[in-house]
Amino acid sequence: MVEFFIFILLLLFALLGLSEALCMLSNWLLKPKQKAQRLLLIFLTPNFAHEQLLQAAECLNWHGNTMADKILAYTGDLDEAEKSALKERFGRNKNIIFSNRINV
């Protein structure tokens, strides 16, 4: 009986590994020659903007360009003091773009 449960568990792990390998193969075959630039759009909330942008920047640092190439931070709802504090803290980061309006 124990052997049966171990066999089912190993079979489950083998199926998960096979499905991951097939996913990687299909992504490799369908990969375009020119990769599109991806932007992570963040609508910053007043009084929480620093933490939100810090979390997004850390996600971008951790995941690299698999998630996005740059962060587009919408600062239209923030007051001027908070905008200047964000630009002072994150202004040197070339992967963050601040914008007061977004044209879609």
Side-chain angles (χ1 to χ4, degrees):
M1 190 69 169
V2 173
E3 295 89 10
F4 178 72
F5 287 117
I6 292 174
F7 175 74
I8 294 296
L9 187 65
L10 288 175
L11 184 65
L12 178 67
F13 285 139
L15 288 174
L16 289 175
L18 180 63
S19 65
E20 182 65 26
L22 289 174
C23 180
M24 289 172 55
L25 179 66
S26 67
N27 283 337
W28 180 72
L29 290 174
L30 297 174
K31 180 176 64 172
K33 291 182 181 168
Q34 182 67 30
K35 189 173 108 176
Q37 183 179 8
R38 292 172 291 187
L39 297 174
L40 176 63
L41 176 61
I42 299 175
F43 291 93
L44 297 174
T45 307
N47 301 325
F48 299 104
H50 183 267
E51 292 87 3
Q52 291 170 341
L53 197 55
L54 186 64
Q55 190 267 340
E58 191 60 35
C59 281
L60 188 65
N61 287 338
W62 184 259
H63 294 290
N65 62 356
T66 58
M67 181 177 72
D69 297 319
K70 294 184 185 258
I71 297 172
L72 180 59
Y74 175 70
T75 58
D77 298 334
L78 306 178
D79 59 356
E80 291 301 321
E82 199 166 13
K83 286 180 192 178
S84 63
L86 286 176
K87 289 181 182 176
E88 181 180 321
R89 168 69 172 89
F90 297 101
R92 293 184 306 253
N93 192 339
K94 301 296 180 196
N95 292 327
I96 299 175
I97 303 166
F98 294 101
S99 177
N100 287 334
R101 60 189 180 121
I102 297 174
N103 296 330
V104 178

